[in-house]
Amino acid sequence: MLTGIVIDALDVTRMERFWREATGGRTDGLRFRFAATTEPKTALKNRLHLDLAGGPAWESEVERLLALGATRTDIGQGDVPWDVLADPEGNEFCVLRPGHPGVLADSGLVALCLDTTEEDRHAQSDFWQSHTAWHALESHEWGVRLRRTPTSTVSMVMGPPSAAKPERNRVRLEVTLSDRRPGEFLDTAGNEFHIAH
């Protein structure tokens, strides 16, 4: 099962507080874990980023997140119908506006977005279905969306563009598998993930 998200952090306490307040604890049961590091983020864009629901008052939600320590950031997104912010250590995330496809909640964490090339899409979908027990509910030209159940408020979205990977991913998925040894591993596209018991 997909059970959590691991984020490298220079300041674990600050990052724990930011993401707890940013999500309001609304994570559909996924745990956040912060791994202490001394290396700051250098990549322009992470391969995995999180989406939060802005809700009907999305402009106020963006202002609330900025007050918590987020910043506006430009990762080359252009003119898009969502807001791209970064957490206090530069990890980008999106605030989705009302009516965004696939959003089933007005607040909290709503998507885990994994950059996947067109060529890797099917292999990545098969890999993550087998490791998470989440299933492909939607397949589109732009990619694939997995959910634990049809009504789960958090989905996993895989699709382009696939960012270059000049360094270890700072944001990673964690799965719980009792029949595999715990540790850090790579998926079919070279993305780190964690296995826990």
Side-chain angles (χ1 to χ4, degrees):
M1 282 295 289
L2 177 58
T3 51
I5 300 149
V6 180
I7 302 177
D8 285 347
L10 297 169
D11 185 336
V12 168
T13 301
R14 182 180 188 202
M15 289 286 278
E16 283 178 340
R17 183 171 55 249
F18 174 83
W19 281 106
R20 182 177 59 251
E21 294 178 5
T23 63
R26 292 177 292 278
T27 64
D28 200 22
L30 295 175
R31 296 184 307 260
F32 278 68
R33 184 166 63 84
F34 298 88
T37 184
T38 58
E39 300 294 325
K41 180 187 175 197
T42 59
L44 173 65
K45 185 176 186 291
N46 290 328
R47 280 268 185 96
L48 179 71
H49 74 269
L50 309 179
D51 284 353
L52 303 181
W58 60 269
E59 292 168 305
S60 296
E61 179 63 4
V62 168
E63 291 305 316
R64 184 185 76 86
L65 293 164
L66 293 171
L68 291 176
T71 55
R72 294 187 183 275
T73 190
D74 187 345
I75 53 171
Q77 68 268 18
D79 184 20
V80 292
W82 57 81
D83 293 86
V84 181
L85 305 180
D87 71 15
E89 295 194 2
N91 300 300
E92 63 281 351
F93 65 96
C94 298
V95 180
L96 305 180
R97 298 175 189 172
H100 192 90
V103 175
L104 303 182
D106 283 339
S107 63
L109 180 68
V110 291
L112 317 169
C113 301
L114 181 63
D115 289 352
T116 305
T117 65
E118 181 69 32
E119 297 76 26
D120 289 338
R121 181 191 302 178
H122 295 295
Q124 283 285 81
S125 178
D126 291 346
F127 178 88
W128 284 109
Q129 285 184 73
S130 71
H131 280 71
T132 63
W134 291 24
H135 303 288
L137 296 182
E138 301 174 26
S139 183
H140 301 275
E141 286 185 10
W142 53 258
V144 175
R145 184 188 311 277
L146 309 179
R147 290 189 199 271
R148 185 179 335 123
T149 71
T151 58
S152 294
T153 55
V154 176
S155 65
M156 182 175 178
V157 176
M158 291 173 277
S162 184
K165 188 175 179 292
E167 62 184 26
R168 184 171 174 273
N169 290 333
R170 295 185 72 80
V171 182
R172 302 176 297 279
L173 299 175
E174 185 166 74
V175 298
T176 299
L177 298 171
S178 59
D179 60 343
R180 294 273 304 273
R181 65 183 174 86
E184 187 173 289
F185 300 88
L186 298 177
D187 70 11
T188 57
N191 298 303
E192 295 86 358
F193 72 98
H194 296 263
I195 293 178
H197 281 173

